[in-house]
Amino acid sequence: MENIEKLIDKLCETSELTADEYKEILASSDHDEYLASKAREVAQRIFGKDVYIRGIIEFSNYCRNDCYYCGIRASNKYCERYRMTPDEIIRCADSGYDIGFRTFVLQSGEDLTYSTEDICNIVSSIKSRHPDCAVTLSIGEKSREEYQAYYDAGADRYLLRHETYNKDHYGMLHPDKMSWSSRIRCLYDLREIGYQTGCGIMVGTPGQTLDHVVEDLVFMKGFEPHMIGIGPFLPAANTPFADCPAGDVALTLRLLSVIRLMLPKVLLPATTALGTAEALGREKGILAGANVIMPNLSPVENRGKYQLYDGKICISDDASLCSRCISARLKSIGYQAVTGRGDHPDKAL
Ligand code: SAM
């Protein structure tokens, strides 16, 4: 027991542990409050009590991929599809700007209807209308040339969860035509091009072991991403994993804390999935060391259709209500929502 607190202290001092040591911390719930308090301390030293707010625009739920866990997978014939026009996406960012957002996260399934030129035009329009804003893309696996084109058009950041660093586990979550190597290649391309790059995993996907999670930690420590998305796996109806149990919230929180101690400056969201798994999940995420929240800016009529998993929260409030709700939630735990660009400290303009 005491040993685990010593390991946590060692992680605070050196920002790195051995695989066995990470595993020991993750396997025990006895020191969760100690771990969270250390992670909070580190987050507050760097970011104070500021939490960065990003407006997420889920602009299309068409997807060519068939990930076994995902509610918008190509073969889910019960998923009601929608696709926003470039104009609608740009107007959505405009209205987000009016209520104070300074980062827009454009996310979608892998929808090939949008050409490279379309994405570049959307990005450059948003950037020229709002030069003080950052644009994050989260639109899946693309060629290096496409990533370069989006970057040249003004995209600042890219989120692409690696989902699992273990190749065999990756194969349990995805059909054969999707490849682990391609996903990892994308992450290295993104970082080399100059994006603030985000990777990440779901906690508790079917077949995931603690050893897999430790492999993810070791990979993330070496890769040094600017952002890390971590949320619990939540089952989605009409998918191969519909009847699988949800991921563990306590383990998710423990991981957020370990990641904060391992990569102190990383941008770490308290995810919507965490808030869906537990009513106060996002608040607990912030108190475990997270420093970002991504409220939904998508038009309300589409929100319920971007159903990656069942029971997703925030599908009926409009953007300004969502934003006020997040601010009030943060205030209730002594933090404040800040709407600046919120770059990674090493990439600040
Ligand atoms: N298509 C883009 C991509 O592949 O990165 C972005 C959209 S994708 C739906 C965004 C993320 O949602 C995935 O990386 C995955 O981790 C998460 N996700 C999908 N299904 C989920 C589920 N059932 N529970 C929790 N998270 C899920």
Side-chain angles (χ1 to χ4, degrees):
M1 266 207 354
E2 220 175 87
N3 188 33
I4 292 182
E5 290 198 1
K6 281 201 183 118
L7 286 181
I8 296 169
D9 291 343
K10 181 178 165 196
L11 181 56
C12 290
E13 279 157 33
T14 63
S15 300
E16 189 160 16
L17 295 176
T18 65
D20 285 344
E21 290 171 332
Y22 286 128
K23 190 172 173 184
E24 224 177 306
I25 295 181
L26 294 179
S28 160
S29 58
D30 294 338
H31 297 274
D32 283 355
E33 187 37 47
Y34 186 72
L35 177 63
S37 73
K38 292 289 175 188
R40 253 191 330 264
E41 235 172 81
V42 169
Q44 286 176 16
R45 199 166 65 225
I46 297 167
F47 303 102
K49 288 197 162 187
D50 288 352
V51 173
Y52 297 142
I53 303 299
R54 326 299 201 184
I56 179 160
I57 303 173
E58 297 158 339
F59 65 90
S60 164
N61 68 354
Y62 283 87
C63 191
R64 66 175 167 154
N65 288 332
D66 230 353
C67 309
Y68 299 144
Y69 44 83
C70 187
I72 63 167
R73 65 197 298 266
S75 55
N76 182 2
K77 60 179 191 293
Y78 298 99
C79 172
E80 196 187 326
R81 306 285 166 174
Y82 72 92
R83 173 182 291 131
M84 289 166 67
T85 64
D87 260 10
E88 287 170 329
I89 300 169
I90 293 161
R91 270 188 275 121
C92 189
D94 286 347
S95 53
Y97 188 88
D98 291 342
I99 51 174
F101 288 92
R102 294 295 178 268
T103 284
F104 302 107
V105 181
L106 308 185
Q107 192 180 89
S108 69
E110 289 199 15
D111 183 351
L112 299 184
T113 304
Y114 301 91
S115 65
T116 306
E117 204 188 340
D118 290 333
I119 299 293
C120 289
N121 287 339
I122 294 166
V123 170
S124 61
S125 302
I126 295 176
K127 293 286 292 195
S128 65
R129 293 157 86 94
H130 311 295
D132 52 337
C133 288
V135 172
T136 304
L137 291 175
S138 175
I139 58 176
E141 294 179 35
K142 305 282 175 182
S143 68
R144 185 174 177 125
E145 292 69 34
E146 288 168 294
Y147 287 148
Q148 184 69 57
Y150 310 149
Y151 187 75
D152 294 342
D156 303 271
R157 309 185 187 128
Y158 205 105
L159 292 173
L160 185 78
R161 291 185 177 181
H162 61 287
E163 315 296 2
T164 170
Y165 197 67
N166 182 282
K167 225 171 177 170
D168 294 335
H169 185 222
Y170 190 90
M172 294 170 67
L173 304 180
H174 303 96
D176 286 347
K177 70 174 188 186
M178 291 180 70
S179 110
W180 174 91
S181 324
S182 153
R183 195 113 187 138
I184 300 298
R185 187 273 304 159
C186 288
L187 282 171
Y188 281 94
D189 282 348
L190 289 163
R191 209 188 44 188
E192 275 170 33
I193 289 169
Y195 284 98
Q196 294 179 47
T197 304
C199 63
I201 62 166
M202 289 168 282
V203 176
T205 40
Q208 185 184 64
T209 65
L210 221 43
D211 287 314
H212 293 149
V213 177
V214 169
E215 282 182 58
D216 290 311
L217 287 177
V218 172
F219 161 64
M220 293 190 283
K221 177 67 188 169
F223 183 67
E224 284 195 270
H226 304 92
M227 309 173 279
I228 295 182
I230 300 278
F233 157 75
L234 298 170
N238 307 306
T239 63
F241 294 160
D243 297 323
C244 296
D248 185 34
V249 169
L251 177 58
T252 308
L253 295 171
R254 219 170 289 143
L255 265 168
L256 286 172
S257 298
V258 168
I259 289 169
R260 170 61 64 210
L261 296 176
M262 196 176 83
L263 294 163
K265 296 184 206 167
V266 79
L267 299 167
L268 192 60
T271 58
T272 305
L274 189 55
T276 299
E278 218 176 273
L280 296 178
R282 285 173 300 178
E283 288 88 331
K284 288 184 182 173
I286 298 298
L287 293 171
N291 72 319
V292 172
I293 289 195
M294 295 162 58
N296 204 322
L297 270 191
S298 315
V300 173
E301 68 266 25
N302 296 338
R303 297 232 192 131
K305 298 179 198 155
Y306 200 83
Q307 199 79 349
L308 308 182
Y309 43 78
D310 300 342
K312 190 172 168 207
I313 54 168
C314 307
I315 57 170
S316 52
D317 292 349
D318 74 18
S320 72
L321 207 65
C322 250
S323 150
R324 270 178 282 148
C325 164
I326 296 289
S327 297
R329 282 171 178 269
L330 289 173
K331 204 169 165 199
S332 77
I333 54 167
Y335 283 72
Q336 64 260 350
V338 294
T339 46
R341 278 176 54 112
D343 290 293
H344 185 279
D346 294 343
K347 285 276 206 173
L349 296 179

mmCIF file of all heavy atoms in Angstrom, residues 87-103:
data_model
loop_
_atom_site.group_PDB
_atom_site.id
_atom_site.type_symbol
_atom_site.label_atom_id
_atom_site.label_comp_id
_atom_site.label_asym_id
_atom_site.label_seq_id
_atom_site.Cartn_x
_atom_site.Cartn_y
_atom_site.Cartn_z
ATOM 1 N N ASP A 87 -21.118 25.302 -45.980
ATOM 2 C CA ASP A 87 -21.709 26.554 -45.474
ATOM 3 C C ASP A 87 -22.282 26.391 -44.078
ATOM 4 O O ASP A 87 -22.120 27.263 -43.219
ATOM 5 C CB ASP A 87 -22.853 26.982 -46.404
ATOM 6 C CG ASP A 87 -22.387 28.047 -47.346
ATOM 7 O OD1 ASP A 87 -21.157 28.286 -47.397
ATOM 8 O OD2 ASP A 87 -23.258 28.634 -48.040
ATOM 9 N N GLU A 88 -22.983 25.277 -43.880
ATOM 10 C CA GLU A 88 -23.577 25.035 -42.546
ATOM 11 C C GLU A 88 -22.489 24.904 -41.478
ATOM 12 O O GLU A 88 -22.640 25.371 -40.359
ATOM 13 C CB GLU A 88 -24.438 23.756 -42.576
ATOM 14 C CG GLU A 88 -25.739 23.930 -43.314
ATOM 15 C CD GLU A 88 -26.480 22.604 -43.546
ATOM 16 O OE1 GLU A 88 -25.822 21.543 -43.687
ATOM 17 O OE2 GLU A 88 -27.721 22.641 -43.606
ATOM 18 N N ILE A 89 -21.388 24.247 -41.857
ATOM 19 C CA ILE A 89 -20.287 24.055 -40.891
ATOM 20 C C ILE A 89 -19.692 25.425 -40.531
ATOM 21 O O ILE A 89 -19.462 25.737 -39.355
ATOM 22 C CB ILE A 89 -19.202 23.117 -41.481
ATOM 23 C CG1 ILE A 89 -19.809 21.753 -41.807
ATOM 24 C CG2 ILE A 89 -18.023 22.977 -40.517
ATOM 25 C CD1 ILE A 89 -18.912 20.825 -42.633
ATOM 26 N N ILE A 90 -19.481 26.238 -41.548
ATOM 27 C CA ILE A 90 -18.876 27.560 -41.322
ATOM 28 C C ILE A 90 -19.815 28.431 -40.476
ATOM 29 O O ILE A 90 -19.388 29.113 -39.536
ATOM 30 C CB ILE A 90 -18.530 28.222 -42.677
ATOM 31 C CG1 ILE A 90 -17.418 27.417 -43.360
ATOM 32 C CG2 ILE A 90 -18.113 29.683 -42.504
ATOM 33 C CD1 ILE A 90 -17.277 27.658 -44.847
ATOM 34 N N ARG A 91 -21.109 28.352 -40.770
ATOM 35 C CA ARG A 91 -22.069 29.161 -39.983
ATOM 36 C C ARG A 91 -22.135 28.682 -38.538
ATOM 37 O O ARG A 91 -22.314 29.458 -37.602
ATOM 38 C CB ARG A 91 -23.467 29.129 -40.631
ATOM 39 C CG ARG A 91 -23.609 30.274 -41.642
ATOM 40 C CD ARG A 91 -25.008 30.428 -42.163
ATOM 41 N NE ARG A 91 -25.235 29.537 -43.296
ATOM 42 C CZ ARG A 91 -26.163 28.598 -43.361
ATOM 43 N NH1 ARG A 91 -27.001 28.409 -42.357
ATOM 44 N NH2 ARG A 91 -26.278 27.838 -44.420
ATOM 45 N N CYS A 92 -21.982 27.385 -38.365
ATOM 46 C CA CYS A 92 -21.985 26.821 -37.011
ATOM 47 C C CYS A 92 -20.785 27.365 -36.215
ATOM 48 O O CYS A 92 -20.912 27.738 -35.044
ATOM 49 C CB CYS A 92 -21.926 25.297 -37.148
ATOM 50 S SG CYS A 92 -22.182 24.424 -35.648
ATOM 51 N N ALA A 93 -19.628 27.442 -36.887
ATOM 52 C CA ALA A 93 -18.450 28.019 -36.218
ATOM 53 C C ALA A 93 -18.697 29.498 -35.928
ATOM 54 O O ALA A 93 -18.349 29.996 -34.843
ATOM 55 C CB ALA A 93 -17.210 27.831 -37.090
ATOM 56 N N ASP A 94 -19.329 30.215 -36.874
ATOM 57 C CA ASP A 94 -19.637 31.640 -36.643
ATOM 58 C C ASP A 94 -20.478 31.806 -35.376
ATOM 59 O O ASP A 94 -20.213 32.682 -34.548
ATOM 60 C CB ASP A 94 -20.454 32.225 -37.816
ATOM 61 C CG ASP A 94 -19.604 32.447 -39.059
ATOM 62 O OD1 ASP A 94 -18.365 32.398 -38.954
ATOM 63 O OD2 ASP A 94 -20.196 32.666 -40.142
ATOM 64 N N SER A 95 -21.499 30.946 -35.237
ATOM 65 C CA SER A 95 -22.357 31.154 -34.059
ATOM 66 C C SER A 95 -21.619 30.732 -32.784
ATOM 67 O O SER A 95 -21.822 31.323 -31.727
ATOM 68 C CB SER A 95 -23.721 30.464 -34.198
ATOM 69 O OG SER A 95 -23.527 29.127 -34.516
ATOM 70 N N GLY A 96 -20.713 29.763 -32.905
ATOM 71 C CA GLY A 96 -19.882 29.410 -31.744
ATOM 72 C C GLY A 96 -18.979 30.577 -31.362
ATOM 73 O O GLY A 96 -18.789 30.870 -30.180
ATOM 74 N N TYR A 97 -18.458 31.247 -32.380
ATOM 75 C CA TYR A 97 -17.581 32.401 -32.125
ATOM 76 C C TYR A 97 -18.355 33.470 -31.344
ATOM 77 O O TYR A 97 -17.843 34.039 -30.375
ATOM 78 C CB TYR A 97 -17.061 32.973 -33.447
ATOM 79 C CG TYR A 97 -16.005 34.039 -33.246
ATOM 80 C CD1 TYR A 97 -14.660 33.701 -33.142
ATOM 81 C CD2 TYR A 97 -16.360 35.391 -33.137
ATOM 82 C CE1 TYR A 97 -13.685 34.667 -32.929
ATOM 83 C CE2 TYR A 97 -15.395 36.363 -32.923
ATOM 84 C CZ TYR A 97 -14.054 35.989 -32.820
ATOM 85 O OH TYR A 97 -13.104 36.947 -32.603
ATOM 86 N N ASP A 98 -19.608 33.690 -31.769
ATOM 87 C CA ASP A 98 -20.415 34.738 -31.119
ATOM 88 C C ASP A 98 -20.654 34.449 -29.640
ATOM 89 O O ASP A 98 -20.851 35.364 -28.855
ATOM 90 C CB ASP A 98 -21.773 34.897 -31.830
ATOM 91 C CG ASP A 98 -21.583 35.495 -33.218
ATOM 92 O OD1 ASP A 98 -20.508 36.089 -33.471
ATOM 93 O OD2 ASP A 98 -22.502 35.347 -34.054
ATOM 94 N N ILE A 99 -20.682 33.161 -29.273
ATOM 95 C CA ILE A 99 -20.882 32.896 -27.838
ATOM 96 C C ILE A 99 -19.553 32.625 -27.116
ATOM 97 O O ILE A 99 -19.528 32.160 -25.987
ATOM 98 C CB ILE A 99 -21.908 31.762 -27.570
ATOM 99 C CG1 ILE A 99 -21.587 30.499 -28.371
ATOM 100 C CG2 ILE A 99 -23.316 32.228 -27.839
ATOM 101 C CD1 ILE A 99 -22.487 29.333 -28.008
ATOM 102 N N GLY A 100 -18.437 32.929 -27.797
ATOM 103 C CA GLY A 100 -17.161 32.973 -27.082
ATOM 104 C C GLY A 100 -16.170 31.863 -27.378
ATOM 105 O O GLY A 100 -15.063 31.875 -26.856
ATOM 106 N N PHE A 101 -16.528 30.888 -28.227
ATOM 107 C CA PHE A 101 -15.571 29.794 -28.499
ATOM 108 C C PHE A 101 -14.418 30.283 -29.361
ATOM 109 O O PHE A 101 -14.613 31.058 -30.297
ATOM 110 C CB PHE A 101 -16.278 28.629 -29.204
ATOM 111 C CG PHE A 101 -17.198 27.865 -28.290
ATOM 112 C CD1 PHE A 101 -18.535 28.202 -28.174
ATOM 113 C CD2 PHE A 101 -16.708 26.829 -27.521
ATOM 114 C CE1 PHE A 101 -19.376 27.510 -27.309
ATOM 115 C CE2 PHE A 101 -17.541 26.127 -26.662
ATOM 116 C CZ PHE A 101 -18.876 26.471 -26.551
ATOM 117 N N ARG A 102 -13.203 29.826 -29.044
ATOM 118 C CA ARG A 102 -12.031 30.210 -29.822
ATOM 119 C C ARG A 102 -11.267 28.982 -30.329
ATOM 120 O O ARG A 102 -10.180 29.114 -30.894
ATOM 121 C CB ARG A 102 -11.103 31.118 -28.972
ATOM 122 C CG ARG A 102 -11.763 32.464 -28.638
ATOM 123 C CD ARG A 102 -12.009 33.315 -29.898
ATOM 124 N NE ARG A 102 -12.677 34.579 -29.604
ATOM 125 C CZ ARG A 102 -14.002 34.779 -29.617
ATOM 126 N NH1 ARG A 102 -14.839 33.779 -29.935
ATOM 127 N NH2 ARG A 102 -14.513 35.962 -29.353
ATOM 128 N N THR A 103 -11.806 27.800 -30.104
ATOM 129 C CA THR A 103 -11.300 26.585 -30.754
ATOM 130 C C THR A 103 -12.491 25.806 -31.279
ATOM 131 O O THR A 103 -13.476 25.609 -30.555
ATOM 132 C CB THR A 103 -10.548 25.670 -29.768
ATOM 133 O OG1 THR A 103 -9.251 26.206 -29.505
ATOM 134 C CG2 THR A 103 -10.317 24.289 -30.363
#
